[in-house]
């Protein structure tokens, strides 16, 4: 069965420091991969997505992610974190049900705290 | 802003009652998916509707049901509410495009079952 693992439950970084959030997936075919961000009490905002092509994808708010098929990973990075980046981050894979993207399978999330 | 709206924003019900949650899709989108997000967890897929037909269902019992209307808005109905149904319910709309579609989420409805 498809699954997504986010190994880090909570990460704290200093403002201005670099960030990497890890995501590993289990999926038989070429996956559709996503990163979403959720601020407290809010819905999910799409940061970036990978469907095919260039394995390094750029997203909003200065985020990028790299798809590594050999490692089944899709890690999210940002070179310099801002206090407003504090939120929960979810990695997801589209399971391709019904010939389309199907439903999204989410990891359990990584909560990011930013120190001044 | 994704253009996906949900109502109500918050709801309190008691065990055994029934609830209806509503979702209005982003313009041009013909697919709606519903997710349940329990506290401290990632969202879990409930079901998806495409052109008014159920197009996939997650591991949720039949007391979770849905509808999609001709204007692509949608409802999630939950009967016989249980305490564990307390969660944030998210809807997401997308435009089916052979796999490379992106789901855009609404702000969610927070349901508390007492």
């Amino acid at each position: 069965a498809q699954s997504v693992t986010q190994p880090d439950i909570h990460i704290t970084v200093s403002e201005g420091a670099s960030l990497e959030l890890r995501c590993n997936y289990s999926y038989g075919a070429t996956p559709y991969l996503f990163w979403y961000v959720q601020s407290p009490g809010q819905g999910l905002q799409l940061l970036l997505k990978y469907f095919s092509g260039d394995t390094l994808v750029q997203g909003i708010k200065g985020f990028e992610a790299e798809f590594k098929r050999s490692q089944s990973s899709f890690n999210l990075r940002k070179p310099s974190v801002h206090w407003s980046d504090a939120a929960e981050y979810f990695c997801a894979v589209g399971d391709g049900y019904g010939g389309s993207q199907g439903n999204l399978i989410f990891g359990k999330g990584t909560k990011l705290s930013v120190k001044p | 802003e994704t253009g996906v709206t949900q109502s109500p924003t918050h709801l309190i019900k008691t065990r055994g009652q029934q609830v209806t949650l509503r979702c209005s899709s982003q313009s041009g989108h013909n697919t709606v998916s519903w997710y349940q997000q329990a506290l401290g967890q990632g969202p879990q897929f409930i079901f998806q509707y495409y052109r008014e037909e159920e197009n996939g269902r997650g591991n949720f019992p039949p007391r979770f049901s849905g509808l999609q209307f001709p204007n692509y808005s949608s409802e999630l109905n939950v009967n016989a509410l249980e305490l564990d149904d307390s969660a944030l319910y998210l809807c997401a709309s997308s435009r089916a495009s052979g796999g490379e579609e992106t789901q855009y989420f609404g702000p969610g409805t927070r349901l508390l079952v007492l």
Side-chain angles (χ1 to χ4, degrees):
Chain A
Q2 300 91 340
S3 65
V4 175
T5 302
Q6 294 180 247
D8 304 305
I9 297 172
H10 191 185
I11 284 182
T12 300
V13 300
S14 298
E15 191 169 15
S18 64
L19 171 71
E20 182 169 27
L21 302 182
R22 295 183 291 164
C23 172
N24 293 97
Y25 66 89
S26 171
Y27 189 71
T30 300
Y32 300 129
L33 294 162
F34 305 82
W35 275 98
Y36 287 87
V37 61
Q38 185 176 40
S39 297
Q42 302 298 312
L44 299 170
Q45 181 183 20
L46 178 70
L47 284 177
L48 47 77
K49 60 191 175 186
Y50 172 79
F51 291 150
S52 63
D54 193 348
T55 56
L56 184 64
V57 293
Q58 302 297 321
I60 62 171
K61 304 184 179 185
F63 285 93
E64 66 177 26
E66 186 171 11
F67 169 57
K68 292 186 177 179
R69 185 187 301 275
S70 62
Q71 298 177 19
S72 297
S73 69
F74 188 57
N75 294 347
L76 182 71
R77 301 193 294 248
K78 185 169 185 178
S80 177
V81 170
H82 188 263
W83 64 266
S84 61
D85 293 325
E88 188 138 26
Y89 291 79
F90 292 94
C91 180
V93 61
D95 80 346
Y97 177 89
S100 70
Q101 178 198 99
N103 77 76
L104 294 176
I105 298 167
F106 285 86
K108 292 189 175 182
T110 297
K111 183 176 180 180
L112 173 65
S113 297
V114 180
K115 291 190 299 186
Chain B
E1 289 289 331
T2 63
V4 181
T5 60
Q6 291 186 244
S7 63
T9 55
H10 295 82
L11 203 51
I12 299 174
K13 291 284 188 179
T14 56
R15 196 170 46 181
Q17 284 189 310
Q18 179 266 342
V19 69
T20 297
L21 310 182
R22 294 177 175 83
C23 173
S24 179
S25 300
Q26 184 172 325
S27 178
H29 287 184
N30 54 15
T31 303
V32 174
S33 304
W34 284 90
Y35 294 81
Q36 181 195 66
Q37 185 179 19
L39 201 60
Q41 301 293 317
Q44 284 199 297
F45 175 69
I46 303 175
F47 44 57
Q48 182 181 85
Y49 278 81
Y50 170 65
R51 292 185 175 178
E52 303 176 57
E53 297 280 337
E54 189 176 290
N55 187 43
R57 189 179 184 91
N59 189 26
F60 281 80
R63 60 189 185 84
F64 285 79
S65 63
L67 283 173
Q68 187 183 30
F69 300 100
N71 66 355
Y72 302 126
S73 65
S74 177
E75 286 182 356
L76 164 65
N77 298 289
V78 187
N79 293 322
L81 283 166
E82 300 177 0
L83 297 180
D84 285 349
D85 296 333
S86 295
L88 181 67
Y89 287 85
L90 297 163
C91 90
S93 75
S94 58
R95 181 171 182 80
S97 57
E100 293 194 3
E101 64 254 30
T102 300
Q103 296 187 19
Y104 294 93
F105 285 81
T109 293
R110 188 164 295 282
L111 173 65
L112 177 61
V113 182
L114 301 175

